[in-house]
Amino acid sequence: MIEGSKAVLCFGEMLWDSLPQGLFPGGAPMNVAYHLRRHGLNAMPVSAVGRDLLGAELLRRLRSWGVDTRLVGVLRKKATGTVEVELDKAGKPKFTIVQKVAWDEIPNQKQTLKWASRSAALVFGSLAQRSANNRLLLAMLLKAAPQAWKIFDVNLRPPFVEAKIIWGLAAKATLIKLNDEELGVLLGRKLIVAELEKAAREFSRKTSCDNICVTAGGEGAGLLLHGQWHWEPARKIKVKDTVGAGDAFLSSLIYHLIFRAQRPEYALRRASRLAEYIASRDGATPAYEISDEGDISAAARMQ
């Protein structure tokens, strides 16, 4: 079990999701940080916003949620990131991501590498690697945190998909989380649920990463952990939107698997229930509370 006071750094995009229901805070690394904080962990986004109203509001919300923002840069010449999100009938999102925004130029602040060196885990995705600045900074963070869990959250968002970068990051990871469609893209074939264990093992061999988590939406989720495959079937829910459900899943998995050292099947089950709850709510960061028994309920919070 890892000491709970150690930080989890979440590197990458921090933005606003423009959904049919309105503007919601988003960006996978920021969402992960939010949900880790709901679990009581010290989660720190490593990102950037613009010196504008949207950036100021993102920082205000993060601070009201108790998320440490000291590693978030505020850039004068770049706008805060935004994403247009269209939802299909099943609540599945299609993203249009604005380019050349603040999170494309995450600054290397004096304390960033220091925090990385004493972090318990470093979470990073593929989308933020679309800029050379961010690729260089992430390489520095990974080098500065030799003992931390390196958690690669694959987010394939066309046209920002470069195979060389994806495979390079995967080779440095301790744990890789991706969905079934992304796994199929990377392996070069369409997958069905019955093939996910075999595909996860193949992906593990190709990346030399022992720990692979594959989510499959309404079917369930699987975890290959040190050679053992675990599967948790999904429960039927009324979906509002699935934006951020995978980020909530990953946060819960990190908490239960890494920080609480609980059984993988238990960690997978708790992560799945949280993801389902988030998919039944609007936006990626609804307020909620989790009981010791794992029950999830809505909660009020400052906005």
Side-chain angles (χ1 to χ4, degrees):
M1 177 176 172
I2 296 176
E3 182 184 347
S5 62
K6 287 190 174 183
V8 179
L9 269 57
C10 301
F11 179 90
E13 62 272 19
M14 182 171 161
L15 46 84
W16 288 91
D17 287 323
S18 179
L19 291 158
Q21 305 94 319
L23 285 175
F24 294 88
M30 195 199 76
N31 295 341
V32 171
Y34 168 78
H35 293 291
L36 286 172
R37 188 70 191 98
R38 298 301 295 187
H39 284 83
L41 299 181
N42 179 21
M44 304 176 71
V46 181
S47 190
V49 297
R51 194 178 296 277
D52 49 29
L53 288 175
L54 288 179
E57 179 60 15
L58 266 183
L59 290 173
R60 188 191 72 80
R61 293 212 189 182
L62 282 169
R63 290 164 183 159
S64 75
W65 301 337
V67 177
D68 192 327
T69 63
R70 76 182 76 186
L71 302 183
V72 178
V74 180
L75 307 184
R76 184 169 58 87
K77 295 183 179 181
K78 294 286 183 180
T80 299
T82 56
V83 175
E84 292 289 333
V85 184
E86 298 179 26
L87 302 176
D88 64 17
K89 291 181 179 180
K92 188 174 179 179
K94 177 183 177 182
F95 302 95
T96 303
I97 306 168
V98 177
Q99 300 187 57
K100 298 182 180 179
V101 292
W103 60 263
D104 283 309
E105 299 295 331
I106 301 172
N108 182 8
Q109 303 182 88
K110 290 183 179 179
Q111 53 190 337
T112 303
L113 293 179
K114 182 178 179 181
W115 272 101
S117 69
R118 60 192 190 203
S119 64
L122 174 60
V123 181
F124 54 95
S126 49
L127 180 56
Q129 306 312 301
R130 69 183 186 179
S131 75
N133 173 87
N134 290 356
R135 292 195 293 273
L136 177 60
L137 180 54
L138 178 58
M140 295 170 66
L141 291 172
L142 291 169
K143 186 176 181 180
Q147 303 303 316
W149 275 71
K150 316 296 193 309
I151 301 166
F152 180 26
D153 182 15
V154 179
N155 282 298
L156 301 186
R157 299 285 184 264
F160 311 111
V161 179
E162 188 172 332
K164 183 178 179 181
I165 292 175
I166 303 297
W167 289 101
L169 291 174
K172 298 174 183 177
T174 314
L175 168 67
I176 302 171
K177 178 257 177 188
L178 71 175
N179 65 36
D180 54 338
E181 292 182 3
E182 291 165 335
L183 180 58
V185 169
L186 292 172
L187 293 180
R189 63 183 185 274
K190 190 172 182 179
L191 300 172
I192 61 173
V193 173
E195 298 173 319
L196 290 184
E197 178 182 352
K198 181 179 178 181
R201 292 184 184 279
E202 179 183 346
F203 190 63
S204 175
R205 290 192 297 271
K206 286 179 177 291
T207 59
S208 298
C209 180
D210 290 336
N211 308 308
I212 309 293
C213 181
V214 186
T215 58
E219 297 293 336
L223 175 65
L224 180 66
L225 190 71
H226 304 307
Q228 296 296 313
W229 176 251
H230 308 271
W231 177 258
E232 175 65 24
R235 296 181 180 179
K236 288 189 179 297
I237 60 167
K238 185 177 180 180
V239 175
K240 282 198 171 180
D241 71 68
T242 61
V243 177
D247 305 326
F249 176 99
L250 178 59
S251 302
S252 180
L253 189 70
I254 290 170
Y255 173 74
H256 291 288
L257 193 65
I258 299 175
F259 282 83
R260 301 294 296 173
Q262 290 170 324
R263 300 187 314 276
E265 57 271 21
Y266 177 83
L268 195 59
R269 182 165 65 250
R270 293 287 291 265
S272 297
R273 299 294 84 82
L274 180 58
E276 291 159 0
Y277 179 84
I278 300 305
S280 72
R281 298 295 187 270
D282 289 325
T285 56
Y288 62 90
E289 293 177 347
I290 306 176
S291 71
D292 291 339
E293 292 74 29
D295 297 324
I296 305 166
S297 59
R301 72 173 179 211
M302 292 178 59
Q303 291 290 343

